[in-house]
């Protein structure tokens, strides 16, 4: 399905909430640049996340930790310029909100003012409650993120499934309830058992958006480069490749090289 300019009605946090209420699944993807965001939005996803996964897929870092607030604003502003319909959510990067709610608020305000995005996302539960409530008090919509939170990778040690043990699952459910209570509009659940996703999604009224969290979340999110098969080596169990762009792009580029070398590009019609 593609969305034409004339049909366009913007997706808001209220629309996302109504979708949960009527049982309609929410489709979400990441984007980090103008061209890709335009394609993702025109295809009709409800929510586009300018994820700090830009640190991995755009900048080639091993983790999400190095990306800065200025870099997130650059990516987010590029995405916002392309998007006509989807709700645009931006990750607050590592170090811009933890342990200091004033700094969290000024980070969120910078992102909203300088990128034109519609909401921010923060990783964590009770530990960052003050930061979340302060941002919410300024009228900025907040999406939570629980389970595998990649900004804490050095605490976890690995990217394996979280909250398999009862104590961690109980804390996750409490954190989800807290996020609902303080006024977050949604929460990402990353890499947790399917049964826990079901329990959380049924226990809170705000929409859950899963990644590696099974089919029971109210919506699903994936990184666009993974969906399109751009990086072939990354093949976790939760991922489905919907295209093999790596091969398609490689074929196109090798054909271009061949044509340049053989002088068959450009031809008469392609010249002035
Ligand atoms: O940074 C990111 O891309 C995310 C995900 C939920 C995919 O946080």
């Amino acid at each position: 399905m593609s969305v034409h300019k004339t049909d366009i009605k913007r997706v808001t946090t209220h629309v996302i909430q109504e979708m949960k209420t009527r049982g309609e699944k929410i489709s979400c993807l990441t984007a980090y640049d103008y061209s890709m965001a335009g394609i993702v939005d025109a295809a009709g996803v409800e929510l586009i996340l300018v994820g700090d996964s830009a640190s991995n897929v755009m900048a080639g870092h091993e983790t999400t930790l190095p990306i800065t607030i200025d870099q997130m604003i650059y990516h987010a502003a590029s995405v916002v310029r392309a998007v006509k319909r989807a709700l645009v959510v931006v990750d607050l990067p590592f170090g811009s909100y933890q342990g200091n709610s004033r700094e969290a608020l000024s980070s969120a305000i910078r992102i909203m003012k300088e990128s034109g995005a519609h909401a921010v996302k923060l990783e964590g539960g009770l530990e960052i409650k003050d930061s979340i409530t302060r941002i919410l008090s300024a009228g900025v919509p907040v999406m939570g993120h629980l389970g595998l939170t990649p900004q804490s990778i050095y605490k976890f040690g690995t990217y394996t499934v979280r909250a398999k043990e009862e104590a961690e699952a109980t804390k996750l459910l409490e954190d989800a309830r807290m996020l609902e209570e303080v006024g977050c509009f949604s929460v990402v659940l990353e890499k947790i058992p399917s049964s826990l996703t079901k329990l959380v999604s049924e226990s809170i009224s705000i929409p859950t958006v899963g990644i590696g969290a099974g089919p029971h979340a109210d919506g699903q999110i994936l990184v666009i480069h993974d969906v399109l098969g751009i990086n072939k080596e990354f093949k976790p169990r939760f991922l489905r490749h919907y295209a093999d762009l790596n091969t398609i792009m490689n074929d196109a580029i090798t054909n271009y090289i061949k044509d340049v070398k053989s002088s068959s590009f450009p031809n008469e019609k392609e010249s002035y």
Side-chain angles (χ1 to χ4, degrees):
M1 181 193 77
S2 82
V3 175
H4 303 290
K5 274 187 184 175
T6 45
D7 310 319
I8 292 167
K9 185 169 172 279
R10 286 219 84 114
V11 178
T12 63
T13 56
H14 302 277
V15 171
I16 300 282
Q17 179 63 59
E18 283 161 13
M19 289 177 75
K20 170 158 182 155
T21 309
R22 62 172 183 270
E24 183 182 342
K25 294 275 185 178
I26 304 156
S27 59
C28 315
L29 280 171
T30 67
Y32 318 96
D33 69 275
Y34 178 85
S35 304
M36 191 72 92
I39 295 170
V40 172
D41 186 50
V45 297
E46 283 86 25
L47 187 151
I48 294 180
L49 172 70
V50 184
D52 58 359
S53 48
S55 179
N56 310 112
V57 295
M58 301 300 287
H61 292 296
E62 229 175 83
T63 72
T64 57
L65 274 65
I67 201 160
T68 66
I69 194 153
D70 287 329
Q71 289 164 340
M72 288 305 297
I73 289 169
Y74 170 79
H75 287 297
S78 307
V79 167
V80 167
R81 281 193 285 275
V83 171
K84 307 209 161 31
R85 175 176 174 271
L87 183 78
V88 179
V89 182
V90 183
D91 266 334
L92 285 195
F94 177 67
S96 71
Y97 63 93
Q98 294 97 337
N100 184 337
S101 64
R102 262 172 196 260
E103 198 182 333
L105 177 58
S106 64
S107 302
I109 287 178
R110 270 202 70 198
I111 286 185
M112 298 297 281
K113 259 187 192 290
E114 296 178 40
S115 73
H118 312 129
V120 295
K121 176 165 82 60
L122 283 74
E123 294 183 6
L126 203 58
E127 325 77 63
I128 57 156
K129 185 177 175 187
D130 290 349
S131 295
I132 293 173
T133 46
R134 200 155 193 156
I135 294 170
L136 286 164
S137 73
V140 176
V142 174
M143 186 176 208
H145 185 155
L146 301 173
L148 176 68
T149 47
Q151 291 179 12
S152 306
I153 186 58
Y154 292 118
K155 183 176 96 180
F156 298 146
T158 68
Y159 287 100
T160 50
V161 180
R162 304 301 314 172
K164 279 161 95 175
E165 307 301 327
E166 202 179 326
E168 197 181 337
T170 304
K171 182 184 175 332
L172 191 144
L173 180 58
E174 281 166 12
D175 283 341
R177 289 198 167 118
M178 179 279 291
L179 294 175
E180 174 192 31
E181 202 177 290
V182 298
C184 290
F185 76 90
S186 173
V187 55
V188 168
L189 300 176
E190 179 162 354
K191 255 191 156 177
I192 62 169
S194 190
S195 54
L196 181 58
T197 303
K198 187 168 189 290
L199 177 65
V200 173
S201 304
E202 288 171 358
S203 304
I204 61 175
S205 59
I206 57 172
T208 58
V209 173
I211 173 163
H216 304 294
D218 302 304
Q220 296 291 331
I221 186 161
L222 287 172
V223 167
I224 187 68
H225 291 64
D226 299 340
V227 169
L228 298 178
I230 291 177
N231 173 10
K232 280 183 156 175
E233 275 99 71
F234 187 61
K235 281 190 260 170
R237 169 181 169 153
F238 68 81
L239 179 61
R240 190 179 295 176
H241 284 142
Y242 284 85
D244 181 4
L245 278 204
N246 187 298
T247 304
I248 292 170
M249 289 168 81
N250 189 272
D251 288 350
I253 295 162
T254 51
N255 284 333
Y256 165 75
I257 294 168
K258 206 159 43 101
D259 288 354
V260 169
K261 302 265 182 210
S262 66
S263 298
S264 71
F265 175 81
N267 62 23
E268 278 294 307
K269 282 195 198 145
E270 290 156 342
S271 306
Y272 298 99

